[in-house]
Amino acid sequence: MRRSVAIGVLTLGIMLVSGMAMAQQPTAQEGSVSAVEQALEQQNGTLEAFYAARDFQAAWTRESRVEALVEAMKKLAEDGLEPADYGADRLLAEFRQAQAGDDMARGRFDTRATRALLTALRHLHHGKVDPNSIDADWEVPINAQLPPMGAIVRAVDAGEVTALLDSVRPAYAPYQRLRQGLARYRHIQRLGGWPMLPEGGPTLRLGETHPDVAILRERLARVGELEVMAADPSILPAADLEAPDPRRFDADLEAAVKRFQDRHLLETDGVVGPRTRAALNVPVGKRVDQIRLNLERARWLMHGLPEAFVLVDIAGYRLSYFRPNGQVWRSRIVVGQPYRRTPSLRSEITHLTVNPTWTVPPTILREDVIPKVRRDPGYLARQNMQVLSPSGQRLSPGQVDWSNPGNVMIRQAAGPGNSLGQVVVRFPNDHLVYLHDTPAQSLFAREQRAFSSGCIRVQGVLEFAQLLFDDTGSGHDLRALLADRRTRDVPLAETMPVILHYWTVHPDSGGQMVFRPDIYERDDALLRALDRPLAL
């Protein structure tokens, strides 16, 4: 007993000393991992709480407990994390070595093993990477609430570390489907991946015969989009005179190509042109990495989601409204262009603006509208736009020196041609973005829809707005408000949570992985940070 107390006291001393040393390390790099960048503040406090909950007694005195810890850490690979970061490849050997040493060696190992466990818990719960370090537009609070320390201590003492890690893993279905997708694509990778179509090859379409079609057929078969065509006559029914030609582009192959295109946000025409060929030729290793980094994005978000909320999937160009009655309303959206990105954020929808006017934001005014006015003096009148002084006084366009207009404002009057359409859905945020209607309805027909200046255009927004009124008990008839033609802000009786998030892989309802273009080029920075080794 006295020996374990000694180890406990030494453990606390080692924890404090090592913590001070870590606090003196240089500032972390871009994409810093949470366990390193917040080293002393998070690790020391949590370590102290852990040992305080067990009266500062050593935790890892039995080999069976260390084995349970190692086995649990190995399973982190199924979440796209690297088990070696947490010592899965060395902790058991270090334990045995420490057992042959003195109390100081055993105490040092004990705090090391505990730090590895607590770090793994944090990373599995809310991510290894700090999103603020790689995304300047990030505006989503992270839920970092772990289980009570008493529950962690009890799990360690019972050797139930795997169950402990399971308890902090996001429990929502999309996360589980991403894990299943990761296992599937890693299996394909172990089998050698898939064949590549020759670069610069011809466009392939229904009815054609070409050697590349046989490669295409095998490529789609590897991911389950198509059954492999038998080329051996001996396995065909006797009635068949000859084997089908795998080089021929038939109707089954066209249907498989359309499925592939649909799951990669390509035009679903069944024709293998340059864009479809490029998507087919993305190596399986890159697809594995995409799934891994989107598991990380899911860990940032998928905790404590409200029962009813609006989810804006930026890279997937869709909005999903999870209604209080359990139904889900979905629609297509248009998001910001790569140089005017729609930010990631979490907020509350507070009110709607019906029959809105549109005051042109400063960036759009400077970069878009004023250059058009300089080239075409009649532009403002055709767009039903008015020029205002900084105090709001209406000015004649002819009074303004458009080569140096100063602080003038331009406001578009309400009406059918207004850029915001008939209704705006508003929520407070530092980026001044919102959801809105649009007169440019044709853009919703595109598969990839990054055309806006940062705000989100919603197809069918009038239906969406009425659902918000109905579901929050607001008691408004949108049609009557629109018919009144007055511009007004209409509050919701209860706010509705809204989340804007960026996913470049998302599982569909059947569990198939849907890969999206990385329109804002955010994947590489996240992958570098996710793959950066830890120094625990």
Side-chain angles (χ1 to χ4, degrees):
M1 178 68 177
R2 293 180 63 187
R3 185 179 181 189
S4 65
V5 171
I7 294 176
V9 174
L10 283 172
T11 296
L12 181 57
I14 293 167
M15 175 191 71
L16 294 173
V17 172
S18 63
M20 286 187 291
M22 293 179 70
Q24 296 170 1
Q25 291 180 355
T27 303
Q29 307 172 27
E30 171 210 35
S32 57
V33 293
S34 54
V36 173
E37 72 190 22
Q38 303 174 19
L40 179 58
E41 180 181 357
Q42 284 197 354
Q43 292 183 345
N44 233 20
T46 306
L47 273 172
E48 185 171 359
F50 177 86
Y51 285 104
R54 56 186 307 107
D55 197 23
F56 296 102
Q57 303 302 303
W60 308 98
T61 57
R62 300 177 187 172
E63 185 164 328
S64 60
R65 287 184 185 174
V66 181
E67 288 175 340
L69 174 63
V70 169
E71 287 305 308
M73 288 178 171
K74 288 180 179 178
K75 293 182 180 297
L76 294 174
E78 299 172 7
D79 296 87
L81 296 170
E82 175 50 64
D85 277 345
Y86 313 96
D89 58 341
R90 60 188 184 276
L91 277 178
L92 198 55
E94 290 177 357
F95 167 78
R96 292 167 180 162
Q97 183 178 4
Q99 288 303 102
D102 57 14
D103 284 350
M104 180 66 77
R106 286 190 288 276
R108 187 181 294 112
F109 171 80
D110 213 273
T111 53
R112 178 179 177 81
T114 300
R115 179 178 289 116
L117 171 61
L118 297 177
T119 301
L121 284 170
R122 284 194 295 272
H123 289 183
L124 187 57
H125 182 267
H126 52 265
K128 174 182 176 181
V129 179
D130 179 1
N132 292 283
S133 67
I134 58 172
D135 183 0
D137 293 332
W138 181 263
E139 198 180 321
V140 184
I142 299 294
N143 180 346
Q145 187 66 43
L146 290 177
M149 193 55 68
I152 296 176
V153 168
R154 288 191 296 273
V156 170
D157 289 346
E160 297 177 349
V161 185
T162 295
L164 177 62
L165 289 173
D166 286 343
S167 73
V168 301
R169 179 180 286 114
Y172 294 93
Y175 188 85
Q176 301 305 321
R177 291 173 185 155
L178 281 170
R179 292 179 78 232
Q180 293 164 4
L182 179 60
R184 181 173 172 231
Y185 276 77
R186 277 179 167 164
H187 178 68
I188 295 172
Q189 188 176 33
R190 286 192 295 271
L191 295 177
W194 45 62
M196 299 288 184
L197 293 167
E199 293 186 11
T203 297
L204 307 174
R205 53 172 50 89
L206 181 65
E208 295 182 347
T209 299
H210 192 277
D212 285 2
V213 174
I215 302 173
L216 171 65
R217 191 177 296 281
E218 184 180 355
R219 165 66 176 88
L220 294 174
R222 293 289 177 95
V223 291
E225 299 286 12
L226 181 74
E227 292 186 6
V228 179
M229 178 180 286
D232 182 355
S234 66
I235 64 174
L236 294 172
D240 290 331
L241 298 179
E242 60 180 27
D245 187 349
R247 300 172 303 165
R248 185 175 179 277
F249 199 123
D250 58 20
D252 288 343
L253 184 57
E254 182 187 49
V257 169
K258 288 182 177 180
R259 287 191 292 271
F260 177 89
Q261 290 170 328
D262 183 59
R263 290 173 182 149
H264 291 75
L265 290 191
L266 299 164
E267 184 180 356
T268 53
D269 57 6
V271 175
V272 180
R275 293 182 67 188
T276 299
R277 186 179 286 260
L280 287 161
N281 281 345
V282 172
V284 66
K286 179 162 184 170
R287 295 305 188 197
V288 166
D289 284 340
Q290 280 186 271
I291 298 172
R292 290 179 56 234
L293 58 88
N294 281 276
L295 279 162
E296 177 75 353
R297 287 180 174 130
R299 288 188 285 270
W300 295 341
L301 177 68
M302 288 189 168
H303 293 284
L305 293 177
E307 178 182 349
F309 68 103
V310 176
L311 178 63
V312 175
D313 180 357
I314 298 169
Y317 307 109
R318 69 176 183 176
L319 178 148
S320 300
Y321 172 31
F322 297 87
R323 302 181 61 197
N325 63 6
Q327 297 179 357
V328 183
W329 185 87
R330 290 189 171 91
S331 183
R332 291 186 163 210
I333 59 174
V334 171
V335 301
Q337 302 170 68
Y339 64 95
R340 290 180 181 169
R341 301 176 178 184
T342 298
S344 296
L345 61 85
R346 186 166 184 168
S347 185
E348 301 274 335
I349 297 173
T350 55
H351 65 282
L352 279 63
T353 304
V354 296
N355 298 312
T357 61
W358 179 48
T359 300
V360 181
T363 300
I364 299 176
L365 179 64
R366 180 180 63 254
E367 298 180 3
D368 296 341
V369 174
I370 289 178
K372 290 178 180 178
V373 175
R374 289 170 180 162
R375 292 193 301 269
D376 179 7
Y379 173 80
L380 294 175
R382 288 197 306 276
Q383 298 298 319
N384 201 16
M385 289 178 168
Q386 302 169 351
V387 183
L388 306 175
S389 70
S391 63
Q393 180 182 2
R394 187 169 178 177
L395 304 175
S396 168
Q399 296 177 282
V400 178
D401 178 6
W402 291 105
S403 64
N404 185 23
N407 293 325
V408 299
M409 298 185 295
I410 293 181
R411 180 172 298 158
Q412 188 176 39
N418 185 279
S419 295
L420 304 184
Q422 296 179 280
V423 66
V424 179
V425 179
R426 299 194 185 272
F427 41 92
N429 64 90
D430 292 341
H431 301 276
L432 304 179
V433 299
Y434 40 78
L435 308 172
H436 67 93
D437 188 15
T438 176
Q441 294 290 313
S442 62
L443 294 179
F444 292 119
R446 306 277 189 92
E447 292 303 320
Q448 297 182 27
R449 300 181 293 278
F451 300 115
S452 83
S453 296
C455 291
I456 303 99
R457 308 173 193 176
V458 182
Q459 187 176 36
V461 70
L462 301 186
E463 180 184 357
F464 172 55
Q466 187 62 58
L467 290 177
L468 289 174
F469 282 147
D470 295 344
D471 292 347
T472 58
S474 302
H476 296 295
D477 182 347
L478 181 62
R479 289 176 297 179
L481 292 170
L482 293 173
D484 185 70
R485 296 183 180 275
R486 285 186 297 165
T487 299
R488 65 172 80 177
D489 290 333
V490 184
L492 298 182
E494 297 179 359
T495 61
M496 179 62 65
V498 59
I499 299 170
L500 280 60
H501 199 35
Y502 186 83
W503 309 85
T504 52
V505 181
H506 186 77
D508 64 20
S509 57
Q512 291 287 342
M513 297 297 101
V514 179
F515 295 95
R516 292 85 171 268
D518 180 19
I519 53 175
Y520 296 161
E521 298 182 345
R522 290 176 172 168
D523 280 2
D524 285 349
L526 175 53
L527 185 61
R528 286 195 301 272
L530 188 62
D531 284 345
R532 187 169 294 128
L534 293 183
L536 294 178

